[in-house]
Amino acid sequence: MNMESTIFWQLIDTSAKVSLGALLAAAMIWMFQWRMNHQTDQSGLSRRVELLEKIAADVGTVSHAFSKYSALITESIKYGERWPVSRKEELKTINSELVQEFNKLAHSEATLLMLGEKNMEKTLRIYGAKIAIFRKEAYVGRQDITIEDITKIKTEINQLRENFYDILSRKYDQLIEH
C-alpha cells in the first residue's frame, strides 16, 4: 500500500470515529432533553393533582363545619326559646369555625382560577354563596322559618357540593390517567 492510500484510510477512519462520536453525543443530548421535558411534564401533572387534592380536602373541611353549624341551627329553630344556653355557646364556636374554614373556599377558588378551571371555580363559588345565604336566612331566634325550609336549603347546598365534587373527580381522573 502506498502512503496516499494509508492516509486516505486513516482520514476515513478518523472521520468515521468523529462522526460516530458526534452522533452519540447528539443522541445523548436528545435523550437528556427528552428526559428533562418528560420529568417536567410529570412534575406539573403531579403538582396539579396535589392542588386538586388540597382543594378537595379544604372543601371537605368547610362541608364538615357547615354540617355541624346547620345541625345546630336546625336544633335551635326546633326548640326555639327552650334551646339551652350551652348549645347557643356551642353554636357560636361552630360559627367561628365555619368562618375560619370559609377562608379555605376563597383560597380554593383562587387556585382553581390559577389552574384555568373556571367551571369548577364557578361551581365552588355558588356552593359557598349558598352557604352564606343559609347563614343569613337561618339563625337562632328566627321564628318564621320552618324545619322544612331549612331542610330544603340544606338539600340545595348538598347538591351544589356534589356537583362540585363530580367536576373535580372527572378532572382528577383525567390527570391520573396521564
Side-chain angles (χ1 to χ4, degrees), residues 15-112:
S15 296
K17 289 176 183 175
V18 168
S19 297
L20 183 59
L23 184 62
L24 285 172
M28 293 299 285
I29 290 170
W30 178 83
M31 286 177 56
F32 178 76
Q33 288 294 331
W34 179 85
R35 187 170 174 209
M36 291 303 290
N37 289 339
H38 185 68
Q39 286 176 344
T40 301
D41 291 347
Q42 289 297 344
S43 175
L45 280 176
S46 295
R47 180 69 178 139
R48 285 181 76 87
V49 166
E50 287 174 15
L51 289 171
L52 292 179
E53 288 171 346
K54 181 172 182 346
I55 289 167
D58 288 348
V59 172
T61 303
V62 171
S63 295
H64 180 69
F66 172 72
S67 292
K68 292 188 295 186
Y69 176 83
S70 65
L72 286 171
I73 287 295
T74 302
E75 185 181 302
S76 77
I77 292 183
K78 180 179 177 182
Y79 290 105
E81 294 296 320
R82 299 172 299 152
W83 202 46
V85 173
S86 63
R87 298 298 274 172
K88 288 180 184 177
E89 291 301 317
E90 186 178 345
L91 178 62
K92 285 182 184 177
T93 302
I94 299 292
N95 185 43
S96 295
E97 179 185 330
L98 180 59
V99 169
Q100 285 179 332
E101 298 299 338
F102 215 77
N103 286 329
K104 292 179 179 179
L105 285 185
H107 291 280
S108 294
E109 290 171 20
T111 301
L112 289 169

